[in-house]
Amino acid sequence: ERPGPPGGPLAGRPVRVAQMARAARGVAAVAALGAFLFLGTSFIAPNGCRRAVDTEIHRAGANGTAQDQSFMGSASAVALPLLGLAALCSTRSRRPAASTTVMPMPLAGAALPVEADESAVVMHTAGGRRKRLGVGGKICMLTGLKKFKGIYRSYSGKKNVRYWRPNCRWHNVWWAKEKKWVRLFISMAALRKMDERGLDYMARRAGLDLYAWTKEHWEPGSRQPLRLKVSTTGKAIKDKRLWPDYNKYLNQGKPLAEIFAGPKYSKKPLPWSQRKALKNPATPPKGLKVSASSSVSSDA
């Protein structure tokens, strides 16, 4: 038999003894409740009710023991339901307690305990990889198609503003060069162009590293150093001037992240005064030209 939970009042005692003690406590509590109810019905109940019970018992019993039978009848009327309730509580208390392991609470900032068969990697993507490439949301990864604003007119000529969005879905595309499947978020227009030109041409035109997208997002080499060429964000426009150095290594046997570390971006933009100073540096002051002859004459 297993001992009770560590640190509790039943530490070191068998489970059977713990169950018996729990049942005894339940019976004692029910007995105390029955005594309280019996005293209440004996001394607080109306005299008419007690008189009716006594009359019935006197008719049924002998003359000498009527008072004792009245007492026993009222006691049995209260005790029998209470004994049934006590038996029910005792049977419910005999259930084996579930074996629970109490894990220590981690400190603030500490990692939560992980089971042995569970992965320790937190798999929260939420479009993070595509957002880093500048094509987050409903934007095609190969063509850069995204929603655009326009109007349509009703029969009466009234203008109504609306948006047109590309038909983008996640597709598993077969990469014949590496004999692998690549899962991309692309539009139907990109699929038609891919059937005409091929996946390698579309990836090279968009600046997409296919080797990085054959890996999971937590594996090394899965983060592309530059944003896509088809993106229109501010950082992607700045990265376009760096693409000529990366083009010859794109999709050439290994991911770009294993070849280049990528540019270092400043987290906060520089204030206008510093940017103006970098664009138009101040003219350094002209130094004084002192010759040896002039210094000797001044000393004389």
Side-chain angles (χ1 to χ4, degrees):
E1 292 180 346
R2 295 173 297 177
L10 305 176
R13 300 173 63 180
V15 178
R16 182 67 63 183
V17 176
Q19 293 176 358
M20 294 176 63
R22 202 160 41 243
R25 286 199 302 269
V27 171
V30 172
L33 179 61
F36 175 79
L37 292 176
F38 173 72
L39 293 176
T41 54
S42 299
F43 296 101
I44 303 176
N47 294 329
C49 296
R50 292 186 308 184
R51 192 177 298 114
V53 174
D54 293 340
T55 303
E56 293 293 333
I57 294 177
H58 275 290
R59 290 177 181 176
N63 295 331
T65 58
Q67 188 177 359
D68 297 336
Q69 289 180 0
S70 172
F71 176 80
M72 292 301 296
S74 59
S76 62
V78 177
L80 287 177
L82 294 178
L83 289 176
L85 182 60
L88 179 62
C89 294
S90 63
T91 55
R92 290 183 63 87
S93 63
R94 292 195 189 100
R95 291 183 179 179
S99 59
T100 57
T101 304
V102 180
M103 299 295 293
M105 291 300 294
L107 300 176
L112 292 175
V114 182
E115 297 293 337
D117 56 345
E118 293 182 1
S119 176
V121 179
V122 180
M123 301 177 62
H124 294 300
T125 56
R129 297 180 71 183
R130 294 192 295 118
K131 188 175 181 180
R132 285 195 298 268
L133 295 179
V135 288
K138 203 167 186 179
I139 303 178
C140 178
M141 298 174 61
L142 294 178
T143 58
L145 291 177
K146 59 181 181 179
K147 71 175 183 179
F148 61 93
K149 186 178 180 181
I151 61 170
Y152 74 95
R153 294 182 181 270
S154 63
Y155 181 76
S156 61
K158 180 182 177 181
K159 293 194 297 184
N160 298 284
V161 180
R162 61 156 291 182
Y163 288 91
W164 278 265
R165 294 174 176 84
N167 184 15
C168 293
R169 297 288 185 275
W170 284 103
H171 293 277
N172 290 325
V173 183
W174 177 251
W175 191 12
K177 177 181 176 181
E178 292 292 331
K179 303 295 189 295
K180 294 180 180 179
W181 290 98
V182 187
R183 191 165 184 261
L184 303 175
F185 190 75
I186 54 179
S187 61
M188 297 303 297
L191 277 178
R192 289 192 295 269
K193 292 181 181 178
M194 195 187 308
D195 292 339
E196 181 183 353
R197 298 295 186 94
L199 178 59
D200 292 282
Y201 171 83
M202 296 295 296
R204 185 170 60 253
R205 179 175 174 273
L208 182 64
D209 188 3
L210 294 176
Y211 285 97
W213 281 89
T214 56
K215 300 176 177 290
E216 297 294 341
H217 67 91
W218 63 82
E219 295 181 356
S222 62
R223 178 171 292 196
Q224 185 172 328
L226 294 182
R227 289 162 179 82
L228 299 184
K229 301 175 185 179
V230 295
S231 176
T232 57
T233 61
K235 293 183 179 180
I237 293 175
K238 292 181 180 179
D239 287 349
K240 285 184 179 180
R241 58 186 176 86
L242 304 175
W243 266 111
D245 299 332
Y246 286 77
N247 278 329
K248 56 184 178 180
Y249 300 102
L250 182 63
N251 298 326
Q252 297 298 324
K254 61 175 63 177
L256 286 177
E258 297 181 3
I259 303 175
F260 298 99
K264 295 182 179 180
Y265 301 101
S266 59
K267 295 184 178 179
K268 293 184 178 180
L270 295 175
W272 169 245
S273 58
Q274 298 182 15
R275 284 186 289 164
K276 186 177 180 181
L278 291 176
K279 288 183 177 180
N280 302 316
T283 305
K286 296 181 179 180
L288 299 177
K289 295 181 180 181
V290 181
S291 59
S293 58
S294 61
S295 61
V296 171
S297 62
S298 60
D299 293 341

